[in-house]
Amino acid sequence: MGAYILRRLLLVIPTLLGIMIVNFTLVQFVPGGPIEQIIAQAEGQGDVFSGFAGGGEAGVDVSGGSSNDQYSGARGLPPEFIAELEKEFGFDKPPLERFLGMMGNYLTLDFGESYFRSISVIDLVLEKMPVSISLGLWSTLIAYLVSIPLGIRKAIKDGSTFDTWTSGAIIVAYAIPGFLFAILLLVLFAGGSYWQIFPLRGLTSDNWESLSLFGKIADYFWHIALPIIALTISAFATLTLLTKNSFLDEIKKQYVMTARAKGLSERKVLYGHVFRNAMLIVIAGFPAVFIGVFFGGSIIIETIFSLDGLGRLGFEAAVARDYPVIFGTLFIFGLMGLVVGIISDLMYVLVDPRIDFEKREG
């Protein structure tokens, strides 16, 4: 197992490098870079993309060219000002040199500073982390706590009335868009047309620091309740059906019939033999499910409930062309995702020691 883990860790390096190369290359062809942002603001255009609406002028070339005419709307600004901006942002260097310098800094955990927020990328990520961790962790836990017992029950009662109506409820929940359900919750329970039960925005109240320990915990869950419900409503559908189908597959196998023939109770058969095998794929996938929700499942929910998390950070950085934030978070989250893939494999082994990845590779 040690050799397998070592090989997987070594594969992280070229994989992560490939991710960075592809995204860095694509950015070179995207108009509206940080210099174009500043030029648009300096000339009172407001929106950096307004210069591209007419289609008659070229957009920003972030490849490091020296011509100041490459920036739309830059003719009213001194060439020295444009040159100084290029030097400040590092665009006076060739793309390859900038990429190698960036990756060299990342190896020393130096992810630079945001172009527009005057804060380091690491501090910015740490600042937004509590919101994303809250959404990802609680959504995943609730999904598992609901889906596993419900899926097992549906497998045991397969074809019954209970199985039928719960399947209908799951399909309806899965079909409801998360953002639409979030708006419905706001209208009903957060001061819309009906009840003012939950707060409209934020993760904590303004007086959170003055609250007791119990008060802080209650205030935290009071604020997080609606976003978690909106984020989780459709998340457990796939997991429930996966649990049910896993149980049904195991129940039909020969060892289950043998165990029943030996006189074992149904509870002993289900939870002493079937459970471990059926839950293998469900439990082992926990890290990947959490990371999936943690990274990209909460952008709209964060926006609707005014939660300042990593989802909004990534979206705003992409719109503003804040390259240090874009590439820094891409590197961090890409590395986390690859490591989580290894952890998922280890979870398989912990759940079922009979699995040997080294023999499978051989």
Side-chain angles (χ1 to χ4, degrees):
M1 190 64 186
Y4 171 77
I5 296 175
L6 180 60
R7 286 195 296 271
R8 288 293 302 272
L9 288 174
L10 292 176
L11 281 174
V12 167
I13 299 174
T15 304
L16 187 59
L17 183 61
I19 293 173
M20 298 302 297
I21 290 175
V22 170
N23 284 274
F24 186 86
T25 303
L26 290 175
V27 163
Q28 309 310 306
F29 302 99
V30 177
I35 296 180
E36 188 77 6
Q37 296 271 5
I38 296 176
I39 291 174
Q41 295 175 9
E43 300 214 337
Q45 297 177 16
D47 185 0
V48 66
F49 299 104
S50 60
F52 307 102
E57 298 184 44
V60 62
D61 178 8
V62 296
S63 62
S66 59
S67 175
N68 295 327
D69 291 335
Q70 61 187 306
Y71 301 107
S72 61
R75 295 184 178 85
L77 297 176
E80 297 79 9
F81 177 73
I82 304 298
E84 186 64 28
L85 284 179
E86 288 181 338
K87 184 176 180 180
E88 180 179 350
F89 288 108
F91 295 146
D92 58 331
K93 302 175 182 178
L96 179 59
E97 183 179 346
R98 286 190 283 118
F99 178 77
L100 294 177
M102 181 184 71
M103 295 304 297
N105 292 333
Y106 286 0
L107 293 178
T108 61
L109 302 182
D110 178 10
F111 297 98
E113 184 176 289
S114 169
Y115 283 159
F116 306 109
R117 303 193 187 207
S118 298
I119 183 175
S120 70
V121 174
I122 288 293
D123 290 339
L124 196 56
V125 170
L126 293 177
E127 178 185 316
K128 313 298 183 183
M129 192 78 77
V131 170
S132 295
I133 288 180
S134 295
L135 293 177
L137 182 62
W138 291 114
S139 297
T140 306
L141 286 176
I142 292 175
Y144 269 77
L145 290 175
V146 172
S147 299
I148 292 178
L150 180 60
I152 294 174
R153 186 69 176 174
K154 285 174 64 62
I156 296 174
K157 300 291 185 180
D158 183 40
S160 66
T161 303
F162 172 82
D163 181 42
T164 301
W165 73 260
T166 51
S167 294
I170 288 174
I171 293 173
V172 171
Y174 185 75
I176 298 176
F179 75 92
L180 186 62
F181 191 71
I183 295 174
L184 177 64
L185 291 176
L186 286 177
V187 172
L188 292 177
F189 303 111
S193 304
Y194 296 90
W195 303 280
Q196 176 69 57
I197 300 176
F198 295 96
L200 184 61
R201 60 176 58 88
L203 197 60
T204 56
S205 299
D206 294 335
N207 64 335
W208 191 80
E209 292 294 339
S210 62
L211 298 175
S212 63
L213 177 60
F214 177 78
K216 289 181 178 180
I217 295 174
D219 182 75
Y220 167 76
F221 282 107
W222 182 47
H223 280 77
I224 207 70
L226 293 187
I228 291 300
I229 293 173
L231 194 59
T232 311
I233 186 65
S234 61
F236 65 85
T238 302
L239 195 55
T240 299
L241 296 179
L242 178 62
T243 303
K244 175 189 174 182
N245 293 332
S246 296
F247 255 77
L248 287 177
D249 289 342
E250 293 297 323
I251 288 174
K252 297 175 182 179
K253 290 184 177 179
Q254 182 64 41
Y255 75 90
V256 175
M257 291 185 286
T258 302
R260 287 171 174 167
K262 290 182 177 179
L264 295 179
S265 65
E266 191 67 14
R267 184 179 183 82
K268 182 68 174 177
V269 172
L270 289 176
Y271 296 100
H273 295 274
V274 175
F275 183 83
R276 186 179 70 175
N277 295 327
M279 288 296 97
L280 175 61
I281 190 172
V282 177
I283 296 176
F286 180 88
V289 172
F290 169 69
I291 290 295
V293 177
F294 179 79
F295 283 164
S298 59
I299 297 176
I300 299 178
I301 300 299
E302 288 178 12
T303 302
I304 292 175
F305 290 98
S306 300
L307 298 174
D308 198 8
L310 294 174
R312 287 185 63 185
L313 172 64
F315 174 75
E316 291 171 358
V319 171
R321 302 297 192 265
D322 197 342
Y323 294 152
V325 177
I326 293 175
F327 291 123
T329 54
L330 178 66
F331 183 89
I332 295 171
F333 297 154
L335 180 60
M336 288 176 61
L338 293 171
V339 172
V340 164
I342 300 175
I343 295 175
S344 296
D345 288 347
L346 295 178
M347 289 289 291
Y348 278 101
V349 177
L350 291 176
V351 174
D352 190 347
R354 295 173 298 176
I355 293 179
D356 190 335
F357 287 104
E358 291 186 3
K359 289 183 178 179
R360 289 190 175 190
E361 288 190 347

